[in-house]
Amino acid sequence: MKVTVSVIKADIGGFVGHSDAHPDCLCTADSALARAKEKGLLIDYHVTKCGDDLQLIMTHQKGENNGDIHEMAWDTFVECTEVAKKLKLYGAGQDLLTDAFSGNIKGMGPGAAEMEFEERVSEPIVVFMADKTSSGAWNMPLYKMFADPFNTIGLVIAENMHQGFKFEVHDVKESKKITFKTPEEIYDMLVFIGAANRYPVKAVYTLSGEIAASSSTQKLAFLAGRYVGKDDPVCIVRCQGAFPAVGEALEPFAKPYLVEGWMRGSHYGPLMPVSVAQSQPTRFDGPPRVTALGFQLSEGRLVGPRDFFADVSYDQARQKANDMAYMMREHGPFEPHRLPLDEMEYTTMPQVSRKLESRFEAI
């Protein structure tokens, strides 16, 4: 059967500060999705969180970018925002950038990753969710999963993977996209995806065009002369068969790497793989976290989840991420811990520049 997996997330209010999602918001979302399932809109769903972000994992047969699915998710976030406001949660509804749904959730604040495919005899998927980071955070792990034989041995020894994959890369500033074929165009592709803040990997396909991975690439909306909303991306990866094994899909996160985000969305920090229970960033509102939930699909039903990063084999990665966090924090307000000014989500630079403009002298 053909099934669509939709993962739609939003920050509708933090408990306490930006550290966690309140249980009442999760229960409200669960009830909303249960009603949608009873009406036949959804086949199945799972509600979870990553840090202070509410995550809706859903299966249905309405295809990608479906207005009914997106409106239902939007209404769920609005309902949860009302709960957040009653609890006086921090930043209640901060990812809802407009007052009314306009047909598609894209550009309205929440992030979304979706893929439609014919369900295989065995269909394992992994849903990655991150907090305190931006949409380009998946560039390095997706490259390692689908193009790096040191990570994915299947690229070398599995006949159905040996031919490589195609990467769809978006230019989020110019609203353009390009597709690279690997391994032939790896060097060309790395020129772009190495600049993850501008050129995030949106999707990965087999050479025949079958979807392998899908990520959210929504960047911060620039409204009223300032950045509003947050990124905190999600990603869906199909595994086994013609795709990386589950262990190959998880392996990139065994070595923490630096991503943008962390405190006020304005710092580089290590992405720490954690269980859902440990996705409560507190140190300097961080460091950035990533969770991974695994499901088997059965006629669209979500069998699971498996909380993959609850595994003790990621303890060393967590320790290394903490060591990296200490090193980066020692820089305080100086780069490379703080982002370059043109990439900062919250910054007083324009106001300070205007105030001091008359005091600058020609050299």
Side-chain angles (χ1 to χ4, degrees):
M1 63 176 287
K2 184 166 283 191
V3 63
T4 305
V5 179
S6 298
V7 181
I8 304 180
K9 55 71 58 181
D11 183 347
I12 49 82
F15 171 62
V16 173
H18 289 297
S19 64
D20 205 355
H22 195 279
D24 289 0
C25 294
L26 295 174
C27 289
T28 299
D30 192 273
S31 297
L33 267 58
R35 294 194 298 269
K37 183 178 178 180
E38 290 175 2
K39 295 177 181 178
L41 189 60
L42 299 178
I43 300 174
D44 204 359
Y45 70 90
H46 179 77
V47 174
T48 187
K49 56 98 174 179
C50 182
D52 58 352
D53 292 309
L54 177 61
Q55 311 278 351
L56 311 180
I57 303 171
M58 304 168 286
T59 59
H60 52 90
Q61 290 187 294
K62 295 186 175 294
E64 300 175 26
N65 298 310
N66 179 266
D68 293 336
I69 297 295
H70 283 215
E71 184 174 21
M72 181 272 297
W74 176 265
D75 290 343
T76 299
F77 293 140
V78 170
E79 187 176 351
C80 292
T81 295
E82 292 305 310
V83 175
K85 288 180 178 178
K86 290 179 181 178
L87 296 172
K88 295 189 176 182
L89 300 186
Y90 188 75
Q94 69 173 31
D95 272 4
L96 308 186
L97 304 183
T98 64
D99 295 327
F101 182 73
S102 59
N104 189 294
I105 215 161
K106 182 179 180 181
M108 299 182 68
E114 298 182 287
M115 58 167 64
E116 183 183 31
F117 52 85
E118 194 73 32
E119 188 179 300
R120 296 171 291 168
V121 173
S122 181
E123 189 67 64
I125 64 170
V126 181
V127 177
F128 294 99
M129 297 157 281
D131 187 33
K132 304 300 183 285
T133 185
S134 63
S135 58
W138 308 126
N139 279 22
M140 184 181 290
L142 286 173
Y143 170 78
K144 286 183 172 293
M145 290 177 209
F146 292 96
D148 182 2
F150 279 80
N151 180 92
T152 302
I153 190 58
L155 294 167
V156 177
I157 65 175
E159 185 178 353
N160 55 3
M161 293 178 63
H162 194 74
Q163 72 278 6
F165 292 89
K166 296 187 295 185
F167 286 68
E168 180 183 320
V169 177
H170 285 196
D171 180 343
V172 295
K173 289 188 178 180
E174 297 292 335
S175 295
K176 297 187 293 187
K177 66 179 181 179
I178 184 173
T179 299
F180 294 97
K181 182 182 177 184
T182 63
E184 294 93 322
E185 297 181 304
I186 279 179
Y187 297 159
D188 290 342
M189 182 174 75
L190 285 173
V191 170
F192 293 93
I193 69 172
N197 62 318
R198 176 166 177 173
Y199 296 100
V201 176
K202 173 59 180 175
V204 181
Y205 299 88
T206 65
L207 294 192
S208 64
E210 188 173 5
I211 186 70
S214 176
S215 76
S216 60
T217 59
Q218 293 83 356
K219 287 292 287 183
L220 302 166
F222 194 73
L223 299 173
R226 65 185 180 94
Y227 280 113
V228 196
K230 295 174 72 66
D231 293 318
D232 302 333
V234 291
C235 182
I236 311 165
V237 177
R238 297 173 74 188
C239 296
Q240 308 297 148
F243 310 114
V246 169
E248 292 170 331
L250 299 174
E251 179 65 13
F253 301 95
K255 295 180 180 180
Y257 56 97
L258 295 176
V259 295
E260 63 175 29
W262 208 344
M263 171 61 75
R264 303 181 186 273
S266 300
H267 297 78
Y268 282 110
L271 189 61
M272 180 186 291
V274 296
S275 66
V276 172
Q278 290 180 321
S279 65
Q280 302 174 10
T282 58
R283 188 189 174 194
F284 201 57
D285 278 359
R289 307 295 166 97
V290 57
T291 60
L293 294 185
F295 299 90
Q296 289 286 156
L297 292 186
S298 177
E299 301 298 316
R301 187 165 63 94
L302 291 165
V303 182
R306 287 286 322 284
D307 193 345
F308 284 126
F309 291 151
D311 186 355
V312 295
S313 64
Y314 293 94
D315 285 350
Q316 187 171 341
R318 288 186 274 271
Q319 182 58 55
K320 186 174 182 180
N322 274 320
D323 293 340
M324 294 167 67
Y326 272 92
M327 185 271 290
M328 296 300 286
R329 283 297 302 128
E330 289 175 353
H331 292 78
F334 291 87
E335 297 177 21
H337 182 32
R338 196 185 74 181
L339 297 183
L341 287 175
D342 60 348
E343 295 297 336
M344 291 178 66
E345 177 182 343
Y346 302 98
T347 174
T348 58
M349 181 63 180
Q351 294 91 327
V352 173
S353 294
R354 286 192 294 270
K355 183 178 71 172
L356 301 178
E357 185 175 9
S358 63
R359 292 172 56 183
F360 277 89
E361 301 177 10
I363 297 175

